[in-house]
Amino acid sequence: MPEKLFKVDLSKSMDQQDIPGHNRWHPDIPAAFSVDPGQSFRMECLDWTDGQVKNNDDPSDIRDVNLNRVHVLSGPVHVNGVEPGDLLVVDILNVGALQEQEWGFNGVFAKENGGSFLVEHFPEAQKSIWDFHGIYTTSRHIPGVKFAGIIHPGLIGVAPSHELLAEWNRREEELVNTDPQRVPPLANLPDKDSVVLGTLKGEAFDKVAKEGARTVPPRENGGNCDIKNLSLGSRIYFPVFVDGAKLSVGDLHFSQGDGEITFCGGIEMPGWIDLHVEVIKGGMEKNHIQKNPVFQPGPMDPQYSEYLVFEGISVNESNGKQSYLDSNIAYQNACLNAIDYLKTKGYTAEQAYMLLGTAPVEGHIAGIVDIPNACCTVSIPKAIFDKSMDPTE
C-alpha cells in the first residue's frame, strides 16, 4: 500500500485537521507535503461539504449547506522539480470509501442555495442516502435499484499562476455583472466567508482569502470536472502553472451519472485515493497541452450492455421557443423525458431526478450540426432495476 501522506479525522472539519487542506484555488496556499516524481502515495479526503450532510431522512441539511465552505480539498502536493511549462502526469492507482463511513449521499439543491441543472422543475431541496455493499450501492430513498459504482474524484487539479487566477476572477466577475441579482448566481466570486487555506495565517491568509477562486467550476487547471470515468487506472496530464504544480484532490464520488445534474451530484462520500506522479519536462509546448488537462480513462467500468435511451432536442419545453443548436437545452429535455418515463414505473419525479444523478447513466451529444436542433441523449442501464423497465402495451 502506498504511504499515507494526508490523513483526515471524520469527527473534525477540514480547518481542524492536523494537516489542514483548503477550499480555494490560489498559488500562495502552502503545500501540505512534498513528493518526488516516480512516487506513489495515499491521500484521505473529507466529503465535499466538510461533513455538513448526515445519514438521515431530513433534507434540511442539503437545503442549508454553507456553499462558501465547499469544496474542501486534500493537499496541495508539491512535486519536487516540477516547473511551469511541464506536464504533471498523475495516475489514479486506487480509490475507495473509508471503513468508518460506508455510505454516501446525493441531493437536489434548493434554488436559493445553488440550484441544479433542472432548478425550475425542482426548486426544493431533496436528499437520498446510499449504502455501500462492496462495489454495489442501494438506497432506502430510491427502492428497487442496485448498481455498481465507478468510484472517482469529482475534483482534481493543480494550482493556477497569479496571472491565471486574475484572469479567472476577471472573466467571472464580468459575467456576474451582466445579471448581478440572478438566483442562483451566474458564478461564485471570491468570498472570505468559511475559507480554509491550509497553514496560512495573518496577513497572508487575509490576502489569499480575498483573492482565492472558488472551486465550484472546472477551469484550465482541471478542478471540478466531475468526469465519472476518471477512475481506477486513469492517467491525467495536467498543464503546470506554478513551481511544484501543487496538486489537490477531493469531492470523491462512489458513483455518478454523466452531467452530475442534481448539483449535489453523484454519491458524495469521504474516502481515500492512491496516486502516482511523474513529470514530462517542457511537456505543455511539446504536446500542445496548454489550456486544459488531457486524460486516459482506466479499464474499470460496470459491464452494462442494455440501456433505455431518451432523446432531447434544443426546443425550450416551457414556451416552445426554438434555440439554435443549444446542447444545454437538449440535454435538459433528454433528462426531463427520462424523468417523465420513470414516473410511469412508480418513481416520483424527485426520485427519478436523483437516480439520473447517481447511477452510471451515459449522457451524449448525439448531433450538434443539424440546424436548428442539437440532439442529446440520456441512457439508463436496464439491469440496475429489479423489474422490467420496458414500455408496456
Short mmCIF file of all heavy atoms in Angstrom, two decimals, residues 23-27 29 66-70 160 162 164-177 185-197 205-217 219:
data_model
loop_
_atom_site.label_atom_id
_atom_site.label_comp_id
_atom_site.label_asym_id
_atom_site.label_seq_id
_atom_site.Cartn_x
_atom_site.Cartn_y
_atom_site.Cartn_z
N ASN A 23 -9.96 25.17 0.50
CA ASN A 23 -11.18 25.21 -0.31
C ASN A 23 -11.22 26.40 -1.26
O ASN A 23 -12.30 26.86 -1.62
CB ASN A 23 -12.43 25.17 0.58
CG ASN A 23 -12.56 26.39 1.49
OD1 ASN A 23 -11.66 27.24 1.55
ND2 ASN A 23 -13.67 26.49 2.20
N ARG A 24 -10.08 26.88 -1.64
CA ARG A 24 -9.94 27.92 -2.67
C ARG A 24 -8.73 27.57 -3.54
O ARG A 24 -7.84 26.85 -3.11
CB ARG A 24 -9.74 29.31 -2.06
CG ARG A 24 -10.87 29.79 -1.16
CD ARG A 24 -12.15 30.06 -1.92
NE ARG A 24 -13.16 30.73 -1.11
CZ ARG A 24 -14.08 30.12 -0.37
NH1 ARG A 24 -14.09 28.79 -0.31
NH2 ARG A 24 -14.98 30.81 0.31
N TRP A 25 -8.72 28.10 -4.78
CA TRP A 25 -7.55 27.98 -5.63
C TRP A 25 -6.71 29.26 -5.54
O TRP A 25 -7.23 30.35 -5.77
CB TRP A 25 -7.95 27.76 -7.09
CG TRP A 25 -8.57 26.45 -7.43
CD1 TRP A 25 -9.82 26.25 -7.95
CD2 TRP A 25 -7.98 25.15 -7.33
NE1 TRP A 25 -10.05 24.92 -8.15
CE2 TRP A 25 -8.93 24.22 -7.79
CE3 TRP A 25 -6.73 24.69 -6.89
CZ2 TRP A 25 -8.69 22.85 -7.83
CZ3 TRP A 25 -6.49 23.32 -6.92
CH2 TRP A 25 -7.44 22.42 -7.39
N HIS A 26 -5.45 29.09 -5.20
CA HIS A 26 -4.54 30.23 -5.14
C HIS A 26 -3.11 29.70 -5.11
O HIS A 26 -2.83 28.71 -4.40
CB HIS A 26 -4.80 31.08 -3.89
CG HIS A 26 -4.21 32.45 -3.95
ND1 HIS A 26 -2.85 32.69 -3.84
CD2 HIS A 26 -4.79 33.68 -4.12
CE1 HIS A 26 -2.62 33.98 -3.94
NE2 HIS A 26 -3.78 34.61 -4.11
N PRO A 27 -2.18 30.31 -5.85
CA PRO A 27 -0.81 29.79 -5.89
C PRO A 27 -0.06 29.92 -4.57
O PRO A 27 0.95 29.23 -4.35
CB PRO A 27 -0.13 30.63 -6.98
CG PRO A 27 -0.95 31.87 -7.07
CD PRO A 27 -2.35 31.45 -6.76
N ILE A 29 -1.18 29.20 -1.49
CA ILE A 29 -1.55 28.24 -0.45
C ILE A 29 -0.38 27.28 -0.27
O ILE A 29 0.07 26.65 -1.23
CB ILE A 29 -2.83 27.48 -0.82
CG1 ILE A 29 -4.01 28.46 -0.93
CG2 ILE A 29 -3.14 26.39 0.20
CD1 ILE A 29 -5.28 27.83 -1.46
N ASN A 66 -23.72 25.28 3.71
CA ASN A 66 -22.94 26.50 3.52
C ASN A 66 -22.04 26.30 2.31
O ASN A 66 -20.99 25.65 2.40
CB ASN A 66 -22.11 26.80 4.77
CG ASN A 66 -21.19 27.99 4.59
OD1 ASN A 66 -21.27 28.71 3.60
ND2 ASN A 66 -20.30 28.20 5.54
N LEU A 67 -22.44 26.85 1.16
CA LEU A 67 -21.66 26.64 -0.06
C LEU A 67 -20.35 27.40 -0.07
O LEU A 67 -19.47 27.11 -0.90
CB LEU A 67 -22.50 27.03 -1.28
CG LEU A 67 -23.63 26.07 -1.63
CD1 LEU A 67 -24.39 26.56 -2.85
CD2 LEU A 67 -23.11 24.66 -1.87
N ASN A 68 -20.17 28.36 0.83
CA ASN A 68 -18.87 29.02 0.93
C ASN A 68 -17.80 28.07 1.47
O ASN A 68 -16.61 28.35 1.33
CB ASN A 68 -18.96 30.26 1.82
CG ASN A 68 -19.64 31.42 1.13
OD1 ASN A 68 -19.58 31.54 -0.08
ND2 ASN A 68 -20.32 32.26 1.89
N ARG A 69 -18.22 26.96 2.09
CA ARG A 69 -17.28 26.01 2.65
C ARG A 69 -16.73 25.04 1.61
O ARG A 69 -15.64 24.48 1.77
CB ARG A 69 -17.96 25.22 3.78
CG ARG A 69 -17.01 24.39 4.62
CD ARG A 69 -16.05 25.28 5.41
NE ARG A 69 -15.31 24.55 6.41
CZ ARG A 69 -14.56 25.11 7.32
NH1 ARG A 69 -14.45 26.43 7.36
NH2 ARG A 69 -13.90 24.39 8.20
N VAL A 70 -17.48 24.81 0.56
CA VAL A 70 -17.09 23.77 -0.40
C VAL A 70 -16.18 24.37 -1.48
O VAL A 70 -16.22 25.56 -1.74
CB VAL A 70 -18.36 23.17 -1.04
CG1 VAL A 70 -19.24 22.57 0.03
CG2 VAL A 70 -19.16 24.20 -1.83
N PRO A 160 -3.32 27.47 -9.96
CA PRO A 160 -3.10 28.44 -11.04
C PRO A 160 -1.92 29.36 -10.72
O PRO A 160 -1.55 29.53 -9.55
CB PRO A 160 -4.40 29.23 -11.04
CG PRO A 160 -4.81 29.25 -9.58
CD PRO A 160 -4.40 27.88 -9.05
N HIS A 162 -0.47 33.33 -10.58
CA HIS A 162 -1.13 34.58 -10.22
C HIS A 162 -1.85 35.19 -11.43
O HIS A 162 -2.96 35.72 -11.29
CB HIS A 162 -0.11 35.58 -9.67
CG HIS A 162 0.36 35.26 -8.28
ND1 HIS A 162 -0.37 35.59 -7.16
CD2 HIS A 162 1.48 34.62 -7.84
CE1 HIS A 162 0.29 35.17 -6.07
NE2 HIS A 162 1.41 34.58 -6.46
N LEU A 164 -3.05 33.59 -14.13
CA LEU A 164 -4.22 32.80 -14.49
C LEU A 164 -5.35 33.02 -13.49
O LEU A 164 -6.53 33.14 -13.88
CB LEU A 164 -3.85 31.33 -14.58
CG LEU A 164 -4.95 30.37 -15.05
CD1 LEU A 164 -5.49 30.77 -16.41
CD2 LEU A 164 -4.42 28.93 -15.08
N LEU A 165 -5.02 33.10 -12.21
CA LEU A 165 -6.03 33.37 -11.18
C LEU A 165 -6.72 34.71 -11.45
O LEU A 165 -7.96 34.82 -11.36
CB LEU A 165 -5.39 33.37 -9.80
CG LEU A 165 -6.29 33.79 -8.64
CD1 LEU A 165 -7.44 32.82 -8.44
CD2 LEU A 165 -5.46 33.92 -7.34
N ALA A 166 -5.94 35.73 -11.76
CA ALA A 166 -6.52 37.05 -12.04
C ALA A 166 -7.45 37.00 -13.24
O ALA A 166 -8.50 37.66 -13.27
CB ALA A 166 -5.40 38.07 -12.26
N GLU A 167 -7.09 36.21 -14.25
CA GLU A 167 -7.94 36.08 -15.43
C GLU A 167 -9.25 35.38 -15.07
O GLU A 167 -10.33 35.78 -15.55
CB GLU A 167 -7.19 35.31 -16.51
CG GLU A 167 -8.03 34.92 -17.73
CD GLU A 167 -8.59 36.10 -18.50
OE1 GLU A 167 -8.16 37.24 -18.27
OE2 GLU A 167 -9.49 35.87 -19.34
N TRP A 168 -9.19 34.32 -14.25
CA TRP A 168 -10.43 33.65 -13.81
C TRP A 168 -11.37 34.65 -13.13
O TRP A 168 -12.54 34.73 -13.47
CB TRP A 168 -10.11 32.55 -12.80
CG TRP A 168 -9.39 31.38 -13.34
CD1 TRP A 168 -9.11 31.09 -14.65
CD2 TRP A 168 -8.84 30.31 -12.57
NE1 TRP A 168 -8.41 29.91 -14.74
CE2 TRP A 168 -8.24 29.41 -13.48
CE3 TRP A 168 -8.78 30.03 -11.21
CZ2 TRP A 168 -7.61 28.24 -13.05
CZ3 TRP A 168 -8.16 28.87 -10.78
CH2 TRP A 168 -7.58 27.99 -11.69
N ASN A 169 -10.81 35.40 -12.17
CA ASN A 169 -11.65 36.33 -11.41
C ASN A 169 -12.20 37.45 -12.29
O ASN A 169 -13.34 37.89 -12.10
CB ASN A 169 -10.86 36.89 -10.23
CG ASN A 169 -10.63 35.85 -9.15
OD1 ASN A 169 -11.37 34.88 -9.03
ND2 ASN A 169 -9.59 36.05 -8.34
N ARG A 170 -11.40 37.89 -13.25
CA ARG A 170 -11.86 38.95 -14.15
C ARG A 170 -13.04 38.50 -14.99
O ARG A 170 -14.09 39.16 -15.04
CB ARG A 170 -10.72 39.40 -15.07
CG ARG A 170 -11.13 40.53 -16.04
CD ARG A 170 -10.25 40.56 -17.29
NE ARG A 170 -10.35 39.33 -18.06
CZ ARG A 170 -11.38 39.05 -18.87
NH1 ARG A 170 -12.39 39.88 -18.99
NH2 ARG A 170 -11.38 37.92 -19.56
N ARG A 171 -12.89 37.37 -15.64
CA ARG A 171 -13.93 36.94 -16.57
C ARG A 171 -15.20 36.51 -15.85
O ARG A 171 -16.31 36.72 -16.36
CB ARG A 171 -13.41 35.83 -17.49
CG ARG A 171 -13.18 34.48 -16.84
CD ARG A 171 -12.39 33.55 -17.73
NE ARG A 171 -12.32 32.21 -17.16
CZ ARG A 171 -11.42 31.29 -17.53
NH1 ARG A 171 -10.52 31.59 -18.47
NH2 ARG A 171 -11.42 30.09 -16.99
N GLU A 172 -15.07 35.93 -14.64
CA GLU A 172 -16.26 35.50 -13.92
C GLU A 172 -17.00 36.69 -13.30
O GLU A 172 -18.23 36.72 -13.26
CB GLU A 172 -15.88 34.44 -12.88
CG GLU A 172 -15.48 33.14 -13.56
CD GLU A 172 -14.90 32.09 -12.62
OE1 GLU A 172 -15.22 32.11 -11.41
OE2 GLU A 172 -14.13 31.22 -13.11
N GLU A 173 -16.25 37.70 -12.84
CA GLU A 173 -16.90 38.91 -12.34
C GLU A 173 -17.63 39.63 -13.48
O GLU A 173 -18.74 40.15 -13.28
CB GLU A 173 -15.87 39.84 -11.70
CG GLU A 173 -16.49 41.10 -11.10
CD GLU A 173 -15.47 41.96 -10.38
OE1 GLU A 173 -14.26 41.69 -10.50
OE2 GLU A 173 -15.89 42.92 -9.69
N GLU A 174 -17.02 39.64 -14.65
CA GLU A 174 -17.67 40.26 -15.81
C GLU A 174 -18.99 39.57 -16.13
O GLU A 174 -19.99 40.22 -16.46
CB GLU A 174 -16.72 40.19 -17.00
CG GLU A 174 -17.20 40.90 -18.25
CD GLU A 174 -16.14 40.83 -19.35
OE1 GLU A 174 -16.17 39.84 -20.13
OE2 GLU A 174 -15.30 41.75 -19.43
N LEU A 175 -19.01 38.25 -16.02
CA LEU A 175 -20.25 37.50 -16.26
C LEU A 175 -21.30 37.83 -15.21
O LEU A 175 -22.47 38.10 -15.55
CB LEU A 175 -19.95 36.00 -16.26
CG LEU A 175 -21.16 35.08 -16.38
CD1 LEU A 175 -21.87 35.27 -17.72
CD2 LEU A 175 -20.74 33.62 -16.21
N VAL A 176 -20.93 37.80 -13.94
CA VAL A 176 -21.88 38.10 -12.87
C VAL A 176 -22.48 39.49 -13.03
O VAL A 176 -23.68 39.70 -12.78
CB VAL A 176 -21.20 37.94 -11.49
CG1 VAL A 176 -22.08 38.51 -10.38
CG2 VAL A 176 -20.89 36.48 -11.21
N ASN A 177 -21.67 40.43 -13.48
CA ASN A 177 -22.14 41.81 -13.62
C ASN A 177 -23.21 41.98 -14.70
O ASN A 177 -23.90 43.00 -14.75
CB ASN A 177 -20.97 42.75 -13.90
CG ASN A 177 -20.10 42.97 -12.68
OD1 ASN A 177 -20.53 42.73 -11.55
ND2 ASN A 177 -18.87 43.41 -12.89
N PRO A 185 -26.81 32.50 -8.69
CA PRO A 185 -25.92 33.44 -9.38
C PRO A 185 -25.28 32.81 -10.61
O PRO A 185 -25.20 31.58 -10.73
CB PRO A 185 -24.87 33.77 -8.31
CG PRO A 185 -24.87 32.60 -7.40
CD PRO A 185 -26.29 32.12 -7.36
N LEU A 186 -24.79 33.67 -11.50
CA LEU A 186 -24.14 33.20 -12.71
C LEU A 186 -22.76 32.59 -12.43
O LEU A 186 -22.26 31.78 -13.23
CB LEU A 186 -24.01 34.34 -13.72
CG LEU A 186 -25.33 34.78 -14.36
CD1 LEU A 186 -25.14 36.10 -15.10
CD2 LEU A 186 -25.85 33.70 -15.31
N ALA A 187 -22.13 32.99 -11.35
CA ALA A 187 -20.83 32.43 -10.94
C ALA A 187 -20.63 32.74 -9.47
O ALA A 187 -21.28 33.65 -8.92
CB ALA A 187 -19.69 33.01 -11.78
N ASN A 188 -19.76 31.99 -8.84
CA ASN A 188 -19.43 32.22 -7.43
C ASN A 188 -18.08 32.93 -7.34
O ASN A 188 -17.04 32.34 -7.62
CB ASN A 188 -19.36 30.89 -6.66
CG ASN A 188 -20.70 30.16 -6.66
OD1 ASN A 188 -20.91 29.21 -7.41
ND2 ASN A 188 -21.60 30.61 -5.82
N LEU A 189 -18.12 34.20 -6.98
CA LEU A 189 -16.91 35.02 -6.93
C LEU A 189 -16.18 34.80 -5.61
O LEU A 189 -16.72 34.22 -4.66
CB LEU A 189 -17.29 36.49 -7.10
CG LEU A 189 -18.00 36.83 -8.40
CD1 LEU A 189 -18.34 38.33 -8.46
CD2 LEU A 189 -17.17 36.42 -9.62
N PRO A 190 -14.90 35.26 -5.50
CA PRO A 190 -14.17 35.10 -4.24
C PRO A 190 -14.97 35.62 -3.05
O PRO A 190 -15.64 36.66 -3.14
CB PRO A 190 -12.91 35.94 -4.48
CG PRO A 190 -12.69 35.85 -5.95
CD PRO A 190 -14.07 35.87 -6.55
N ASP A 191 -14.91 34.88 -1.96
CA ASP A 191 -15.67 35.21 -0.76
C ASP A 191 -14.86 34.74 0.44
O ASP A 191 -14.47 33.58 0.51
CB ASP A 191 -17.04 34.51 -0.79
CG ASP A 191 -17.98 35.01 0.29
OD1 ASP A 191 -17.51 35.31 1.40
OD2 ASP A 191 -19.20 35.09 0.02
N LYS A 192 -14.59 35.63 1.39
CA LYS A 192 -13.74 35.31 2.55
C LYS A 192 -14.45 34.45 3.58
O LYS A 192 -13.80 33.89 4.47
CB LYS A 192 -13.24 36.61 3.20
CG LYS A 192 -12.32 37.42 2.30
CD LYS A 192 -11.76 38.64 3.03
CE LYS A 192 -12.82 39.69 3.26
NZ LYS A 192 -12.27 40.91 3.89
N ASP A 193 -15.77 34.33 3.48
CA ASP A 193 -16.52 33.54 4.46
C ASP A 193 -16.17 32.05 4.34
O ASP A 193 -16.15 31.50 3.24
CB ASP A 193 -18.03 33.73 4.25
CG ASP A 193 -18.85 32.89 5.21
OD1 ASP A 193 -18.65 33.02 6.42
OD2 ASP A 193 -19.69 32.10 4.74
N SER A 194 -15.88 31.43 5.48
CA SER A 194 -15.67 29.98 5.57
C SER A 194 -14.46 29.49 4.77
O SER A 194 -14.41 28.33 4.34
CB SER A 194 -16.92 29.22 5.14
OG SER A 194 -18.03 29.60 5.92
N VAL A 195 -13.48 30.35 4.57
CA VAL A 195 -12.28 29.97 3.83
C VAL A 195 -11.40 29.04 4.66
O VAL A 195 -11.24 29.22 5.87
CB VAL A 195 -11.49 31.24 3.43
CG1 VAL A 195 -10.11 30.89 2.93
CG2 VAL A 195 -12.25 32.02 2.36
N VAL A 196 -10.82 28.03 4.00
CA VAL A 196 -9.81 27.16 4.59
C VAL A 196 -8.59 27.22 3.68
O VAL A 196 -8.70 26.94 2.47
CB VAL A 196 -10.30 25.71 4.73
CG1 VAL A 196 -9.25 24.85 5.43
CG2 VAL A 196 -11.63 25.64 5.47
N LEU A 197 -7.43 27.58 4.24
CA LEU A 197 -6.24 27.84 3.42
C LEU A 197 -5.01 27.16 3.98
O LEU A 197 -3.93 27.74 4.07
CB LEU A 197 -6.01 29.35 3.31
CG LEU A 197 -7.14 30.17 2.67
CD1 LEU A 197 -6.84 31.66 2.75
CD2 LEU A 197 -7.39 29.74 1.23
N PHE A 205 -2.98 35.07 5.05
CA PHE A 205 -4.30 34.44 5.00
C PHE A 205 -5.33 35.42 4.44
O PHE A 205 -6.12 35.08 3.54
CB PHE A 205 -4.72 33.98 6.39
CG PHE A 205 -6.07 33.30 6.45
CD1 PHE A 205 -6.16 31.92 6.42
CD2 PHE A 205 -7.24 34.05 6.52
CE1 PHE A 205 -7.40 31.29 6.46
CE2 PHE A 205 -8.48 33.44 6.56
CZ PHE A 205 -8.56 32.05 6.54
N ASP A 206 -5.33 36.65 4.94
CA ASP A 206 -6.32 37.64 4.53
C ASP A 206 -6.21 37.94 3.04
O ASP A 206 -7.23 38.09 2.34
CB ASP A 206 -6.16 38.92 5.34
CG ASP A 206 -6.50 38.72 6.81
OD1 ASP A 206 -7.22 37.76 7.13
OD2 ASP A 206 -6.03 39.53 7.64
N LYS A 207 -4.98 38.03 2.54
CA LYS A 207 -4.77 38.34 1.12
C LYS A 207 -5.29 37.21 0.24
O LYS A 207 -6.03 37.45 -0.73
CB LYS A 207 -3.28 38.55 0.85
CG LYS A 207 -2.95 38.83 -0.62
CD LYS A 207 -1.46 39.07 -0.81
CE LYS A 207 -1.12 39.43 -2.25
NZ LYS A 207 -1.43 38.33 -3.20
N VAL A 208 -4.95 35.98 0.58
CA VAL A 208 -5.38 34.84 -0.23
C VAL A 208 -6.89 34.63 -0.12
O VAL A 208 -7.56 34.31 -1.10
CB VAL A 208 -4.60 33.57 0.19
CG1 VAL A 208 -5.18 32.33 -0.49
CG2 VAL A 208 -3.13 33.72 -0.17
N ALA A 209 -7.45 34.85 1.07
CA ALA A 209 -8.90 34.71 1.25
C ALA A 209 -9.66 35.68 0.36
O ALA A 209 -10.73 35.36 -0.16
CB ALA A 209 -9.27 34.94 2.72
N LYS A 210 -9.10 36.86 0.17
CA LYS A 210 -9.75 37.88 -0.65
C LYS A 210 -9.66 37.55 -2.14
O LYS A 210 -10.57 37.86 -2.91
CB LYS A 210 -9.10 39.24 -0.38
CG LYS A 210 -9.71 40.40 -1.15
CD LYS A 210 -9.00 41.71 -0.80
CE LYS A 210 -9.59 42.87 -1.59
NZ LYS A 210 -8.89 44.15 -1.28
N GLU A 211 -8.57 36.91 -2.55
CA GLU A 211 -8.32 36.68 -3.97
C GLU A 211 -8.68 35.27 -4.45
O GLU A 211 -8.90 35.06 -5.64
CB GLU A 211 -6.83 36.90 -4.28
CG GLU A 211 -6.33 38.29 -3.99
CD GLU A 211 -4.81 38.39 -4.12
OE1 GLU A 211 -4.15 37.33 -4.25
OE2 GLU A 211 -4.30 39.52 -4.10
N GLY A 212 -8.71 34.30 -3.54
CA GLY A 212 -8.81 32.90 -3.92
C GLY A 212 -10.06 32.58 -4.72
O GLY A 212 -11.17 32.98 -4.37
N ALA A 213 -9.89 31.83 -5.80
CA ALA A 213 -11.01 31.47 -6.66
C ALA A 213 -11.78 30.31 -6.05
O ALA A 213 -11.20 29.38 -5.47
CB ALA A 213 -10.51 31.07 -8.05
N ARG A 214 -13.10 30.37 -6.16
CA ARG A 214 -13.95 29.29 -5.70
C ARG A 214 -13.65 28.02 -6.52
O ARG A 214 -13.29 28.08 -7.70
CB ARG A 214 -15.42 29.67 -5.84
CG ARG A 214 -15.82 30.92 -5.03
CD ARG A 214 -15.61 30.72 -3.54
NE ARG A 214 -16.29 29.52 -3.08
CZ ARG A 214 -17.60 29.45 -2.82
NH1 ARG A 214 -18.36 30.52 -2.94
NH2 ARG A 214 -18.14 28.33 -2.41
N THR A 215 -13.85 26.88 -5.89
CA THR A 215 -13.55 25.60 -6.55
C THR A 215 -14.73 25.03 -7.31
O THR A 215 -14.65 23.90 -7.81
CB THR A 215 -13.09 24.59 -5.49
OG1 THR A 215 -14.15 24.41 -4.53
CG2 THR A 215 -11.83 25.04 -4.79
N VAL A 216 -15.83 25.78 -7.42
CA VAL A 216 -17.07 25.23 -7.98
C VAL A 216 -16.93 24.78 -9.44
O VAL A 216 -17.32 23.66 -9.78
CB VAL A 216 -18.23 26.23 -7.81
CG1 VAL A 216 -19.49 25.71 -8.49
CG2 VAL A 216 -18.49 26.50 -6.33
N PRO A 217 -16.40 25.61 -10.36
CA PRO A 217 -16.38 25.18 -11.77
C PRO A 217 -15.06 24.51 -12.17
O PRO A 217 -14.01 24.73 -11.53
CB PRO A 217 -16.55 26.50 -12.52
CG PRO A 217 -15.83 27.49 -11.67
CD PRO A 217 -16.02 27.02 -10.24
N ARG A 219 -11.85 24.48 -14.62
CA ARG A 219 -11.13 25.55 -15.32
C ARG A 219 -9.89 24.95 -16.00
O ARG A 219 -9.77 23.73 -16.10
CB ARG A 219 -10.72 26.66 -14.35
CG ARG A 219 -11.90 27.38 -13.65
CD ARG A 219 -11.37 28.55 -12.85
NE ARG A 219 -12.40 29.28 -12.10
CZ ARG A 219 -12.75 29.01 -10.84
NH1 ARG A 219 -12.15 28.01 -10.18
NH2 ARG A 219 -13.67 29.73 -10.23
#
